C-alpha cells in the first residue's frame, strides 16, 4: 500500500460508490479507506459491496458518529500500520476533485504536506454548496489569513496529502 485515500463518511450512500469508482480510475493506483461512523443510510453496505470485487477498497466501521477529527486520526493509524507512504484526506461529497490527486503526488515529491484549496487565483472551485456556506467559508479563510498571516488560501480545507514521515512525527495517541 503506497498511496491511501482516507474518506470519512456519515450518510454518504449517494456519493461513496461514484467517488470510489473515480478514485480507482486514476492513473496512479490508489487504495481507498472509508472510515464510516455508523451511517444509518447504509454507506458501509455500499463500501462492502465494492470490497467484494476490489481489493484496493478498505472499510473501518466505527460504532457511531464519533467525529471528523477522530475519523482522520483512526485513518492515519490504519495508513501507518499498513505501510502507506502517501496519505490523502478528502471528502466523499465531491467538494474535492479526485482527478487532482496525481498533481498532489507530483508536489509531494518535494514536500511533506500538500494542501488543496478551493480558492486559488481568484477562482472558487466548490460544487454542491449553498451560497451561504460558500460565503462563510471564504470569509473565514480570508479572516484567518489577515489575522494570523498564514499564507494559505484554504485553511479549513480537508483535501490534503501527507508524506508518511510527517504523520510519523505526530503523536496520534495524544490526538483526541
Amino acid at each position: 500500500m503506497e498511496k491511501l485515500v482516507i474518506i470519512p463518511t456519515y450518510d454518504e450512500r449517494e456519493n461513496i460508490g461514484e467517488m470510489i469508482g473515480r478514485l480507482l480510475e486514476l492513473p496512479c493506483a490508489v487504495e481507498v479507506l472509508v472510515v464510516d461512523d455508523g451511517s444509518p443510510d447504509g454507506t458501509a453496505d455500499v463500501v462492502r459491496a465494492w470490497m467484494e470485487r476490489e481489493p484496493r477498497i478498505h472499510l473501518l466501521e466505527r460504532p457511531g458518529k464519533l467525529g471528523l477529527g477522530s475519523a482522520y486520526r483512526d485513518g492515519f493509524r490504519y495508513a501507518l500500520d499498513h505501510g502507506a507512504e502517501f496519505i490523502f484526506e478528502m471528502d466523499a461529497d465531491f467538494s474535492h476533485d479526485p482527478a487532482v490527486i496525481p498533481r498532489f503526488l507530483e508536489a509531494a515529491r518535494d514536500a511533506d504536506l500538500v494542501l488543496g484549496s478551493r480558492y486559488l487565483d481568484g477562482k472558487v472551485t466548490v460544487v454542491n454548496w449553498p451560497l451561504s456556506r460558500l460565503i462563510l467559508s471564504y470569509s473565514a479563510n480570508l479572516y484567518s489569513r489577515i489575522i494570523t498571516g498564514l499564507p494559505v488560501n484554504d485553511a479549513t480545507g480537508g483535501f490534503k496529502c501527507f508524506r508518511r514521515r510527517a504523520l510519523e512525527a505526530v503523536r496520534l495517541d495524544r490526538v483526541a
Side-chain angles (χ1 to χ4, degrees):
M1 178 180 300
E2 184 187 19
K3 299 173 280 294
L4 180 69
V5 178
I6 301 167
I7 305 174
T9 58
Y10 186 80
D11 283 350
E12 290 289 350
R13 181 183 185 90
E14 297 298 316
N15 295 320
I16 196 62
E18 183 179 347
M19 177 59 78
I20 289 171
R22 298 257 310 268
L23 288 165
L24 293 178
E25 291 171 354
L26 292 174
C28 53
V30 300
E31 297 199 30
V32 178
L33 171 65
V34 175
V35 181
D36 187 66
D37 272 4
S39 297
D41 73 344
T43 299
D45 295 332
V46 174
V47 177
R48 277 192 290 277
W50 272 95
M51 290 171 66
E52 289 177 11
R53 60 186 190 271
E54 177 53 67
R56 292 187 290 154
I57 306 303
H58 312 277
L59 175 63
L60 180 58
E61 290 185 81
R62 300 183 339 147
K65 202 166 184 182
L66 301 176
L68 184 63
S70 66
Y72 280 127
R73 179 203 58 216
D74 293 350
F76 293 154
R77 285 183 183 141
Y78 182 98
L80 295 174
D81 289 348
H82 289 84
E85 176 60 33
F86 300 95
I87 300 109
F88 292 84
E89 62 176 55
M90 69 182 297
D91 294 342
D93 66 358
F94 288 95
S95 60
H96 307 137
D97 184 358
V100 178
I101 286 178
R103 289 175 48 200
F104 272 59
L105 287 168
E106 192 73 27
R109 287 183 186 171
D110 301 316
D112 288 339
L113 172 62
V114 178
L115 302 175
S117 177
R118 297 165 286 195
Y119 315 109
L120 287 177
D121 304 320
K123 299 175 190 164
V124 178
T125 57
V126 178
V127 294
N128 301 326
W129 274 17
L131 183 59
S132 59
R133 182 175 177 192
L134 180 61
I135 290 169
L136 178 62
S137 173
Y138 186 83
S139 300
N141 281 291
L142 179 62
Y143 176 81
S144 68
R145 270 196 323 276
I146 291 168
I147 295 302
T148 67
L150 185 67
V152 173
N153 289 325
D154 194 358
T156 61
F159 197 13
K160 300 177 179 81
C161 175
F162 298 87
R163 291 292 299 259
R164 176 182 188 84
R165 63 182 171 235
L167 289 177
E168 286 175 330
V170 176
R171 298 270 320 261
L172 292 175
D173 60 320
R174 298 184 126 188
V175 176

